[in-house]
Amino acid sequence: MANLRHALIGGVALLGVLVLAPTRAADAGATTLGGADPSVIKVGGLYVAAKSVDGGIAIRTATTLAGIAAAPKKQVWSDTGNLGEVWAPEIVHQDGRYHVYFSAGRSAAHRMYHISSATADSGYSAATKVALPGDKWAIDGVPFTYQGQRWFVWSGWAGDTNVEQNLYIARMTGPATTTGARYVISQPREAWERTVGNPYINEAPEPILDPNGRLHIVYSANGSWSSKYCLAELRLRAGGDPTYVWDWYKSNGCLFGSYAPNMMTGWDATLYVDGPGHHTFVLERGDIATSPPSGNRFPTMYHAVAKGTPYSWSNRYWYTGTAVWWGNVTYRRANVPGPTTDLGYGLKFFE
C-alpha cells in the first residue's frame, strides 16, 4: 500500500513523492547491515562499499545500492601489524585503482592509512601511513579533486590531547602524500554543535560540488554516542580559497538530525531514526566532479538508530536515504572577517 507523504519544508507544506508507508520506524530506509560509517561509490554498474569489520576492512559489491547489505563481505585487509582500532574506511576510485583510506591506532595514536588495488574486492596493497602535516590524531580522511588540485580533508586534534575535533584540509601530491601545511576549516564552536561534547566534535567530512560548481563539505556534529548526532555543512564562498577558514560559511544548524532544537530553520527533524550521521554521497567513482545536478533527489547512505531503540553504538545500522540541492539558502555569521551572509545552494536530506 502506498501513500502520499507530506513534508514541511521552509514552513510550507509541500506534496512529497509517492513512497511506501513504513509500518515501523526501522522500515524507513533501514538495511540489515549493522554498524557505522558507510562509504559507498558507484563504478559503472557496480556499487562498492567499504566497511571496518573483524579487525580489518571488508568490501561488498552489488548491482543495487540496497543490495549492498546482503552482499557477501570480502576481507581485503587485516591488521596483521597490530596498528589498533580500525575506523571508518573511505573508498574512492582514482587513476584506474580503488583506494581505501582509514584510521587505525589506539587512543592518541590514531592516524590515517591507505591501501589500493586495481580490483574492487581483492589484491589490495599493504597499508601505508598517509603523511599528513603535523602528524596529529586523525580520522575520517577522504581525498578529492577541486579545480585541478588534489586535496585531503579529515577530522583531527590541534595538539596531542583530546580537547575537540576540528576539520582540516591539506593539498595532496600522491595517494599517501601531502604538501604544505594543514589548515583548519571548521571547529565545533556553534551552540547547536556543542549540545553533546567531551569532546565537542566536527567529523566525517564528505565533499560535494553544487550545481554552480561551489564546493561543500558535509560533516557530522555532536557526539556520535548521542541521539543528537547530526549532519551540517560548510559552503565555500564563490571564488574562495579552501585553505582560508573565513571563506567557508557554516549552516546555521543541523541539516539532517533527530533533535528538533538543533535543526536549521526550515529543516525538520527525522521521523523514523535517531542520530543520523557519518553519511556517504553515492557518487560515480567517489569523484565530486560527478556530483548530481539540481532537480532530482540523489542517493545517500548514513548510519542511525531506529526510533524506539536505545541509542548506542551497537544499535547503529546503515540506512539508505536521498538528498536534493535546495536553492537560495542564506548562511549567516557574525564577528568574523568578511561578509556576514552568503547565498547559495544548501542540501535537504530525506530518510
Side-chain angles (χ1 to χ4, degrees):
M1 174 80 74
N3 73 340
L4 289 176
R5 178 180 173 189
H6 290 71
L8 185 65
I9 299 177
V12 179
L14 299 179
L15 186 61
V17 297
L18 191 67
V19 296
L20 292 177
T23 58
R24 55 189 173 89
D27 288 337
T31 75
T32 57
L33 192 54
D37 311 332
S39 177
V40 186
I41 62 174
K42 192 170 184 287
V43 182
L46 197 65
Y47 291 89
V48 184
K51 192 173 187 292
S52 175
V53 295
D54 302 328
I57 295 168
I59 299 294
R60 289 175 169 84
T61 62
T63 55
T64 66
L65 183 59
I68 286 290
K73 64 182 181 183
K74 295 188 177 181
Q75 196 90 0
V76 299
W77 180 83
S78 296
D79 185 18
T80 56
N82 195 28
L83 292 174
E85 301 160 324
V86 178
W87 292 349
E90 292 279 346
I91 189 166
V92 297
H93 187 269
Q94 293 178 330
D95 303 326
R97 293 181 66 83
Y98 292 88
H99 301 264
V100 179
Y101 294 83
F102 61 95
S103 180
R106 294 179 179 85
S107 189
H110 268 274
R111 299 294 189 273
M112 291 302 306
Y113 292 86
H114 163 264
I115 58 176
S116 71
S117 174
T119 306
D121 58 5
S122 65
Y124 279 82
S125 64
T128 300
K129 183 179 176 182
V130 181
L132 295 178
D135 192 25
K136 303 297 183 183
W137 187 91
I139 66 169
D140 299 347
V142 62
F144 66 97
T145 300
Y146 176 64
Q147 295 185 341
Q149 170 67 54
R150 287 192 177 181
W151 301 87
F152 198 76
V153 61
W154 72 99
S155 176
W157 298 348
D160 297 316
T161 55
N162 190 6
V163 177
E164 64 180 2
Q165 289 176 224
N166 305 319
L167 298 184
Y168 293 93
I169 196 169
R171 293 178 174 87
M172 295 194 86
T173 53
T177 55
T178 59
T179 184
R182 65 172 182 165
Y183 300 90
V184 64
I185 58 172
S186 182
Q187 295 173 284
R189 301 294 174 83
E190 301 300 319
W192 53 267
E193 55 186 352
R194 296 173 68 86
T195 308
V196 177
N198 194 27
Y200 298 113
I201 66 168
N202 284 176
E203 64 183 13
E206 294 290 338
I208 191 168
L209 294 180
D210 72 24
N212 289 332
R214 292 176 64 178
L215 178 62
H216 298 239
I217 292 179
V218 180
Y219 66 96
S220 298
N222 291 306
S224 64
W225 55 93
S226 161
S227 62
K228 296 178 177 62
Y229 201 51
C230 72
L231 295 183
E233 78 152 348
L234 304 172
R235 182 173 66 205
L236 188 67
R237 73 170 181 84
D241 177 358
T243 69
Y244 183 52
V245 64
W246 302 123
D247 278 353
W248 291 96
Y249 286 78
K250 183 175 289 191
S251 58
N252 298 123
C254 300
L255 302 182
F256 193 44
S258 58
Y259 184 58
N262 282 353
M263 301 301 294
M264 182 165 157
T265 301
W267 271 249
D268 294 327
T270 51
L271 297 175
Y272 307 111
V273 302
D274 282 330
H278 202 132
H279 75 301
T280 182
F281 293 114
V282 186
L283 301 178
E284 185 72 29
R285 302 184 309 281
D287 183 0
I288 67 171
T290 70
S291 295
S294 61
N296 296 329
R297 293 190 189 184
F298 52 89
T300 65
M301 290 196 82
Y302 59 94
H303 77 238
V305 172
K307 281 190 182 295
T309 303
Y311 197 92
S312 69
W313 282 348
S314 62
N315 284 337
R316 296 177 296 186
Y317 279 80
W318 286 21
Y319 283 76
T320 60
T322 57
V324 67
W325 288 110
W326 202 256
N328 297 317
V329 177
T330 299
Y331 293 155
R332 293 177 171 84
R333 62 188 187 182
N335 303 317
V336 298
T340 57
T341 62
D342 183 77
L343 181 67
Y345 277 101
L347 285 161
K348 290 276 188 178
F349 292 90
F350 300 89
E351 296 170 84

